Amino acid sequence: MTELTMAKALNAALDRVLTDDPAVLLLGEDIGALGGVFRVTDGLLAGHGAARVIDTPLAESGIMGAAVGMAFRGFRPVVELQFDGFVYPAFDQIVCQVAKMHYRTRGAVRMPLTVRVPWAGGVGAAEHHSESPEAYFVHTSGLRVVAVSNPADAYLMLRQAIASDDPVVFFEPKRLYHAKGEVDLDADLADAPPMGLARIVREGTDATIVTYGAQVTTALQAATAAEDDGLSLEVIDLRSLSPVDYDTVAASVRKTGRVVITHEAPGEAGVGAEVSAGITERCFHHLEAPPVRVTGHDIPYPPAKLERHHLPDLDRILDAVDRVLQRPNSLTGVEL
Amino acid sequence: MAYPPSTAAQPATDVGSVARLITPDGERVSDPALDRWATDVDDALLSDLYRDMVRTRRLDTEGVALQRQGQLGLWAPSLGQEAAQVGTARALRGSDFVFPSYRELGVQLVRGATPTQLIQVWRGEEQSMGDPFARGTAGPQIIIGAQTLHAVGYAMGIQRSARPDGARADDVAVAYFGDGASSQGDVNEAMVFAASFGAPVVFVCCNNQWAISEPVAVQSRFPLARRAPAFGIPSLRIDGNDVLAGFAAMRWALERARSGAGPAYIEAVTYRMGPHTTADDPTRYRDPAELELWRGRDPLTRVETLLRARGALDDAAAADIAAEADHLAAQMRAACLSYRTREPLTIFDEVYAEPHTGLERQRRAYAAYLAGFEEDQR
């Protein structure tokens, strides 16, 4: 085991895949000499050459459309979209072309490409650099959508995403790029849990917190704080947003009877809404209280100095836990 | 230094300043840019090009008829564009890869599409024309201009490929698109990528003058072919109704790309004589006189005139070609009328290459729902 930051773990994964599979190509803005704005591709140009690590023109739809053509020719492109807010110019190619090509051709053309998205807020960034667009992609059939929360998953799930014959939108929380964790660099993909599986990161009995990405850290902080209050909270890292591993989620909710779902993205028609509905359909008779969502507000991402009011913190999560436990909370006596 | 738009720029509809080898009157002429690419074209090859154009037009007529009879949901006519499609496509070799728009009937035909494949998309039975790798041709692209980027990416893939003998691959990727697409960001991004990487890709812009009801002047205030050089891509503006010009220009472009010299751009100036699709009514936005003008530039008539003048085509041969085209159209009609729609649950197939638990759950649920009807019928 080696202690690595998430950025280094992702770099190690890309280096390994480039070494192992000559069909893999990297495309993106500034991924060559600079090593990417977050240095995730640091050293890969020197190690693998400009034919494999391709600095592209500044055109996101162009990058994605070119990746589609490369997949036609038998390559496995890995695209870095520099920031979450820059995924929108590539949206048409992702949802109309990447997602549908396999279906449109009845399986004749595969799109084994991975779209890496440095993602979400909490780093005091400028406008368009803190977006949480995951729900748009979860809504699109033909894509797999995953979000990582720690270096070990980053290392394994990125390799799994690139190995997948389906297109994968791969969300990397910027807030955690420098967070360290133990990574087994010799890990065999054959032994790794599939990237579609959720993971119980902390066991508990009183309520379940379902989350993903950087919010996993916040949820764990909330669970630790709740422990002082005599509460036992289970925390689930979804890891995969499409498909959602409802087997793991539903088993937990059947055990605890109460669920809080939290994410940074706005709540309206978000992943939390989907998970809440999915749980309600499956576990209605096991629920002791309605599922509660703790999400970003339904607002454009606010300026950096105010983003702490947008991002769910441990206190907002604990307030929601009080709601599902029907204990006094901020909404007691409030008609919504 | 400033660069104002030139007041001397010709309107985009101008068709005088185009390269051609056969005049609208059927006279074989010389062109400095095209001559060297047509020196070996004999009457046999010219007859073949003519035959492909006749077949394309006949299938297009059948497609319109099938739509009017309710057998097809939609049809995008190619009437008037046969030369641009057939001429350019016939210059390709099998290992090249084509990314067409939805209006490339002649290209699909030349690339080996079967009558069944030609109707299955428009009948709403399938979303593609089958396996693109079998014919080196992607299915019709509906999103305007998106395929130009696919062609560039494919060409960048060619640059990273070797032939079995270890030599550099010299295949070429081709993007077909219309004048409307030239306004799309994707097309402009494709030209940036193609030029920056020197990708072996050929852009074929079939300027048919109209993007549904929008005339080409709305897309561009000067000839579209002139845009390409500003991206660093050489271009030719050809008479799109001259099949030989299309063939020769494409040879020029392919030779460039194969030799490693990078992308090329062809603007084929042609005219969409019919509606945009069978759902369109061009009488609402087009001057009938304009259509009459273009009838005089019919791409089939000029080749037929030339072949007859050279003694390479007589009434009997023309009748044979027409009969052969009729036969193909009959095959297309038969394929259309005998099409068997897939079983309902196959709509869940091939959404993903690997199992997806969410979709599998939906499939099971819908299968159970459908099974309920079967029980009712017992």
Side-chain angles (χ1 to χ4, degrees), chain A residues 111 113-116 144-146 161 164 166-170 195:
Chain A
M111 286 287 129
L113 55 85
T114 303
V115 185
R116 292 182 38 239
R144 291 174 190 277
V145 183
V146 302
S164 171
D166 286 316
V168 180
V169 183
F170 191 93
M195 66 178 173

Side-chain angles (χ1 to χ4, degrees), chain A:
Chain A
M1 297 289 256
T2 311
E3 187 173 64
L4 291 177
T5 63
M6 181 181 284
K8 294 276 191 203
L10 292 163
N11 178 273
L14 291 170
D15 190 33
R16 174 155 182 178
V17 176
L18 281 165
T19 303
D20 290 350
D21 186 350
V24 172
L25 303 174
L26 309 192
L27 296 110
E29 298 162 1
D30 305 303
I31 67 169
L34 181 66
V37 293
F38 294 102
R39 310 294 184 266
V40 170
T41 56
D42 192 24
L44 299 179
L45 172 66
H48 301 280
R52 315 250 340 255
V53 180
I54 306 168
D55 265 325
T56 65
L58 297 190
E60 287 79 11
S61 188
I63 298 169
M64 197 59 57
V68 170
M70 288 174 173
F72 260 94
R73 184 72 184 184
F75 290 94
R76 305 182 88 85
V78 182
V79 167
E80 176 175 304
L81 284 173
Q82 201 161 59
F83 282 94
D84 34 52
F86 307 168
V87 76
Y88 302 119
F91 191 71
D92 167 56
Q93 285 286 346
I94 297 174
V95 303
C96 291
Q97 307 295 331
V98 173
K100 292 179 178 172
M101 199 62 75
H102 189 262
Y103 190 67
R104 182 186 294 156
T105 61
R106 296 201 62 194
V109 181
R110 295 200 164 182
M111 286 287 129
L113 55 85
T114 303
V115 185
R116 292 182 38 239
V117 187
W119 165 62
V123 294
E127 196 182 6
H128 306 299
H129 289 65
S130 302
E131 313 267 315
S132 293
E134 61 268 25
Y136 298 114
F137 301 104
V138 170
H139 194 66
T140 300
S141 302
L143 301 175
R144 291 174 190 277
V145 183
V146 302
V148 291
S149 67
N150 60 80
D153 270 359
Y155 180 67
L156 283 174
M157 288 171 67
L158 183 54
R159 289 170 56 201
Q160 290 171 322
I162 297 169
S164 171
D165 275 345
D166 286 316
V168 180
V169 183
F170 191 93
F171 286 105
E172 304 169 1
K174 293 189 284 283
R175 217 188 317 170
L176 298 183
Y177 267 139
H178 300 297
K180 290 184 175 174
E182 293 292 327
V183 179
D184 179 5
L185 290 173
D186 299 320
D188 195 332
L189 280 195
D191 302 328
M195 66 178 173
L197 288 188
R199 186 167 58 99
I200 297 173
V201 288
R202 179 188 170 112
E203 296 201 3
T205 52
D206 292 327
T208 301
I209 303 176
V210 178
T211 188
Y212 54 90
Q215 281 297 106
V216 173
T217 305
T218 313
L220 284 171
Q221 288 165 354
T224 303
E227 200 171 22
D228 296 340
D229 207 15
L231 284 179
S232 166
L233 300 182
E234 184 145 303
V235 177
I236 294 179
D237 177 2
L238 282 179
R239 301 191 337 141
S240 172
L241 311 183
S242 176
V244 167
D245 173 11
Y246 278 112
D247 290 344
T248 297
V249 173
S252 173
V253 174
R254 288 188 188 113
K255 179 176 74 175
T256 63
R258 304 173 198 272
V259 61
V260 169
I261 305 147
T262 180
H263 55 62
E264 286 187 34
E268 187 172 31
V271 171
E274 169 57 34
V275 171
S276 174
I279 288 170
T280 306
E281 285 178 350
R282 288 168 178 80
C283 310
F284 184 76
H285 295 292
H286 298 268
L287 287 169
E288 304 288 342
V292 167
R293 286 174 288 159
V294 188
T295 68
H297 307 295
D298 295 332
I299 58 172
Y301 199 85
K305 294 292 188 194
L306 290 166
E307 68 179 336
R308 68 185 179 85
H309 293 289
H310 181 65
L311 302 175
D313 60 11
L314 82 168
D315 287 329
R316 276 176 66 194
I317 294 172
L318 288 173
D319 185 62
V321 169
D322 286 338
R323 283 158 68 189
V324 296
L325 286 164
Q326 283 134 339
R327 303 186 339 166
N329 63 79
S330 67
L331 293 180
T332 303
V334 176
E335 284 282 327
L336 288 180

Side-chain angles (χ1 to χ4, degrees), chain A residues 51 54 59 61-62 65-66 69-70 72-73 75 93 97 102-104 106 108 142-144 164-166 242-243 282, chain B residues 126-128 133 141 146 149-150 153-154 157 160-161 171 186 189 342 347 349-350 352-357 361:
Chain A
I54 306 168
S61 188
M70 288 174 173
F72 260 94
R73 184 72 184 184
F75 290 94
Q93 285 286 346
Q97 307 295 331
H102 189 262
Y103 190 67
R104 182 186 294 156
R106 296 201 62 194
L143 301 175
R144 291 174 190 277
S164 171
D165 275 345
D166 286 316
S242 176
R282 288 168 178 80
Chain B
E126 301 289 344
Q127 293 191 329
S128 82
F133 300 114
Q141 176 61 251
L149 281 166
H150 305 168
Y154 191 95
R160 288 158 177 77
S161 307
D171 301 330
D186 274 0
E189 292 184 23
R342 285 187 278 149
I347 63 172
D349 291 347
E350 291 118 10
Y352 293 92
E354 297 167 7
H356 185 282
T357 51
R361 194 175 286 118

Side-chain angles (χ1 to χ4, degrees), chain B residues 21-311:
Chain B
L21 294 170
I22 307 173
T23 69
D25 296 331
E27 185 189 347
R28 180 74 167 82
V29 292
S30 174
D31 181 274
L34 299 178
D35 280 345
R36 66 172 282 216
W37 303 102
T39 50
D40 61 334
V41 175
D42 57 14
D43 288 348
L45 177 53
L46 204 54
S47 293
D48 282 348
L49 294 172
Y50 173 69
R51 178 186 290 112
D52 279 342
M53 286 198 290
V54 170
R55 283 146 54 112
T56 301
R57 179 162 296 186
R58 181 65 188 85
L59 289 176
D60 185 61
T61 306
E62 197 69 16
V64 173
L66 284 165
Q67 195 281 330
R68 297 299 185 219
Q69 291 159 11
Q71 295 297 331
L72 299 178
L74 191 72
W75 185 258
S78 57
L79 180 66
Q81 297 183 224
E82 298 88 351
Q85 297 175 352
V86 168
T88 52
R90 279 293 296 257
L92 293 163
R93 65 186 191 197
S95 59
D96 297 326
F97 207 99
V98 178
F99 292 88
S101 85
Y102 49 80
R103 199 191 302 286
E104 259 80 51
L105 174 66
V107 175
Q108 295 282 5
L109 187 67
V110 168
R111 298 293 285 175
T114 64
T116 303
Q117 288 167 336
L118 290 170
I119 54 92
Q120 62 194 15
V121 174
W122 305 107
R123 196 173 155 80
E125 301 286 1
E126 301 289 344
Q127 293 191 329
S128 82
M129 289 186 163
D131 181 354
F133 300 114
R135 297 179 291 112
T137 309
Q141 176 61 251
I142 304 285
I143 300 296
I144 302 297
Q147 76 279 13
T148 57
L149 281 166
H150 305 168
V152 172
Y154 191 95
M156 291 171 71
I158 292 170
Q159 291 177 305
R160 288 158 177 77
S161 307
R163 295 196 315 226
D165 64 4
R168 185 179 63 82
D170 64 351
D171 301 330
V172 176
V174 181
Y176 283 88
F177 56 102
D179 44 302
S182 69
S183 297
Q184 287 278 350
D186 274 0
V187 175
N188 290 273
E189 292 184 23
M191 289 202 280
V192 171
F193 273 66
S196 297
F197 294 107
V201 58
V202 178
F203 297 99
V204 181
C205 176
C206 291
N207 173 4
N208 70 11
Q209 314 292 329
W210 291 92
I212 308 188
S213 69
E214 306 284 1
V216 67
V218 174
Q219 321 295 338
S220 181
R221 299 303 301 168
F222 64 100
L224 292 166
R226 282 210 236 155
R227 278 190 191 166
F231 288 92
I233 301 173
S235 66
L236 274 176
R237 188 166 197 252
I238 63 165
D239 185 334
N241 286 10
D242 172 1
V243 71
L244 199 50
F247 184 74
M250 198 67 180
R251 278 178 151 188
W252 159 77
L254 290 168
E255 172 58 26
R256 265 188 64 80
R258 283 198 215 293
S259 67
Y265 186 107
I266 297 167
E267 179 192 359
V269 181
T270 179
Y271 191 77
R272 183 241 297 159
M273 294 171 75
H276 161 67
T277 67
T278 45
D280 173 41
D281 176 10
T283 65
R284 294 170 72 103
Y285 55 84
R286 280 203 314 212
D287 182 349
E290 182 183 288
L291 180 58
E292 283 313 305
L293 181 73
W294 280 91
R295 278 195 214 282
R297 298 172 181 159
D298 189 301
L300 269 68
T301 310
R302 69 175 74 178
V303 182
E304 186 171 344
T305 304
L306 176 64
L307 285 170
R308 284 180 185 272
R310 294 162 74 111

